[in-house]
Amino acid sequence: MTGADVDRSPARILLLTEGAAQLTTCRLMQALTNRLKSGYAATLHRRAFPRGLHRKIGAILKFELTNIGRILRADVVVMHTPLSLSLGSIVMARLLGRRVLLVVWDLYPESSVVTGTFRNPLLICLYDLTERASLRLAHSVFVPSRDYAAHPKLAGLRDVHFLPIWPIAERQPVRARALHEGEPIRIGFAGQVTVMQNVPAAIGDIAERLSERKIEFHLFGSDTVPAEIAELAERRRGQLRIIPRGYLEGDVFQHALAALDAGLVAIDPAFTLPAFPSKTTAYVSSGLPVIFRGPPNAGMLDIGVASGAVLVVDEHFNASRLDQHIRSFSGAQTRYLAMVDAPDAAVSRALPKHMTILTRPGSQL
């Protein structure tokens, strides 16, 4: 590294997100910003949407206009899905010659159609067109796993990088666990209960495969138990108990997870879109072994199974295999986090060489 390189100012990276600060997407972008600050002048700007369609549209327009100044002061702009709401900023960044990086976590409007959020054909078509336009305006696109890159919507993109969901909380030690006869197996599920996850079917499948054991399912994110899950628990009274834990955050959430035996990641086996549930990394960071019920070819399993952090609920799943998975999780946690805990390095690899030289001699991402 030359003296000129040492004196060079670090690249200015602007990261944009939206929604409440406690949302997983916002926390992921905050964690990425913090990591990038070690080598770049990275800043995060978050917008919150007010209630009401007209107020929301007004807030979007105001945000896009005020973004012009932020983009002018940046060299690189990073945004994430859904991209339609950021199309104005994407176009402005390209017109001003800034580098545009886009992070894809869900495919829109496809995922919203599956969950029933979108039903209007015109809105679906408009959403699809703006998402596709946004993707093709990007210099680089980041996806969590191989099944995203294989999807037709991303076909033909010129620069696609793999960026698995990274940790948003400090790594917690793995406590010694083992399944004991007579004690219930405590499994947690954190996240929304939608048709995409088909959580009732996942709980029923696991209960059937562990029919000789008592099971506690701890549901995080709601104070009430969905009717279908409550009915399932009633049918399996004596074996299955459902415990709603409400919405927990930060250390309280991590400590609650640490007291359990495993965390459930569920995707309906019939779900055909790519998906990498963020709770997978959240469980592993909290020291909690993961069990997965979903499509057998899900791209997230490339890391989950290879590291040993994820046990698939399939025809071989039983209490003995679960106990072995739980007992050997400490090494699996280390291997999994080593595969996902470098989002800043992934971003750095997508930038031109002149942007990746840091201001500290001998330091490089």
Side-chain angles (χ1 to χ4, degrees), residues 1-7 356-364:
M1 182 176 289
T2 66
D5 291 330
V6 173
D7 295 334
T356 61
I357 298 174
L358 308 187
T359 55
R360 295 188 303 278
S363 172
Q364 191 165 346

Side-chain angles (χ1 to χ4, degrees), residues 82-88 90-91 102 108-109 123-137 153:
L83 302 169
S84 298
L85 301 178
S86 301
L87 181 57
I90 294 171
V91 171
L102 302 180
Y108 292 93
L123 180 61
I124 292 170
C125 181
L126 181 62
Y127 219 143
D128 184 56
L129 289 173
T130 51
E131 290 286 312
R132 290 179 184 273
S134 299
L135 288 167
R136 274 148 185 79
L137 285 170
K153 192 158 202 166

Side-chain angles (χ1 to χ4, degrees), residues 17-47:
T17 189
E18 60 266 333
Q22 69 268 25
L23 287 178
T24 299
T25 51
C26 292
R27 297 182 66 197
L28 281 165
M29 293 298 278
Q30 183 63 68
L32 177 57
T33 303
N34 294 342
R35 295 288 293 271
L36 288 169
K37 284 181 178 178
S38 66
Y40 300 94
T43 57
L44 174 68
H45 189 78
R46 178 180 64 86
R47 62 178 170 184

Side-chain angles (χ1 to χ4, degrees), residues 111-122:
S111 59
S112 296
V113 171
V114 170
T115 58
T117 306
F118 287 170
R119 292 187 173 90
N120 185 307
L122 181 60

Side-chain angles (χ1 to χ4, degrees), residues 47 50-52 60 64 73 114 199 206 236 249 252 254 263-264 267 287 300 334 343 352 362:
R47 62 178 170 184
R51 294 188 178 184
I60 291 172
E64 295 299 318
R73 295 189 295 272
V114 170
V199 176
I206 293 168
R236 288 189 168 272
E249 296 184 60
V252 176
Q254 283 201 305
L264 170 64
I267 304 174
M300 60 163 284
T334 299

